[in-house]
Amino acid sequence: MVIDQKRPSIWMLVAILQVYVWIYEVPKICKPFWTNTFANYSDETSEFILNLSVILFFLCYVAAMIPVYYFAQHPWIDQYKIQKDKPWPWLSKDEKTRNDFWKLTKRSVKFISFNIFFLVPVMSYGKIMILSKLNMGGTSFATDEESWPKPFRSFIDCIILSIIHEFGFYATHRLCHVYPFLYKYHKVHHEYKMNVAWCAQHNHPVDFILSIGGPGLLFISLYPCHSMTQFQFILWVMYANLDDHCGFSFPWSPVRWFPFAAPTDEHEFHHSKNIGCFGSKLDIYNRLLGGHEHYLKWNEKRQKAQ
Ligand SMILES: [Zn+2]
Ligand SMILES: [Zn+2]
């Protein structure tokens, strides 16, 4: 069965509920802690601390997914697997496939450790310093109670940030596929043909700076906003990135149910076939500028075959 993440269901309500909690309830919970704690730090230090929250989020998501992969053969979990025609590599009957997977996982530990524990802090610090000097973004990173945004304002800001960020990702990702001197770095990310959550950050450092750092710098330079909104947005992006690579089309995913959201299997298609689908969380640029024609044909074929 092919899972359609945009088909109305009880799971879609669960997805919507998660968005409601993230936009309306989380700021209320955070507000007292936020205004008291960050009052002791400069805007730049506060922004740096909040940027590092993505590291913890990544580690928690991967830790939560490990039991799911362990029980991946259970029929209830297996129904959401995207590449149903192939076994998970660690469960393959072929010894070489299993060994290759564990070798690749060890390689991931090295890349991921460097990217999240070194590049993320360095890039965050660099971004804050540059924007602070240019009097952009960094200096408007308010953490005070007076400028606390209304939930609807945060919601609109997150939509605008998504459109800007997605353009940055689509453009840098597409360039990485078009130009061989960039693809030689990006191909490291494509070593996974069947995704597992941690491959979300399995990137060569050059690719990581370009396709993860570049869009991040773009959105914050063009649209600086309140610290709470930035926090909500960066974790939203990290969630979408992890969801892109989890290998499952979960119908309760909070980042897939709304119009113009790209389904998880688009990025899985990108890894397994390596043709088109340059976007991530939204499919607007794939539609406007090209990139999902092959995916649409592949999707139509498998829908008919089911
Ligand atoms: Zn790619
Ligand atoms: Zn990917």
Side-chain angles (χ1 to χ4, degrees), residues 169 173-174 176-177 183 186-187 189-190 207 267 270-271 274-278:
F169 181 77
H173 188 198
R174 190 162 182 170
C176 284
H177 277 270
Y183 187 70
H186 182 60
K187 74 178 180 189
H189 184 63
H190 279 271
D207 183 31
H267 199 70
H270 179 72
H271 275 260
N274 205 352
I275 319 167
C277 293
F278 304 111

Side-chain angles (χ1 to χ4, degrees), residues 2 7-8 28 31 53 75 104 111 150 164 167 173 175 190 208 244 254-255 259 273 282:
V2 176
R7 192 177 58 210
K28 280 188 215 163
K31 196 172 180 181
S53 60
L104 186 56
F111 275 123
K150 296 241 179 323
I164 299 170
F167 178 75
H173 188 198
L175 288 173
H190 279 271
F208 193 85
D244 257 343
V255 293
K273 310 281 189 230
L282 305 176

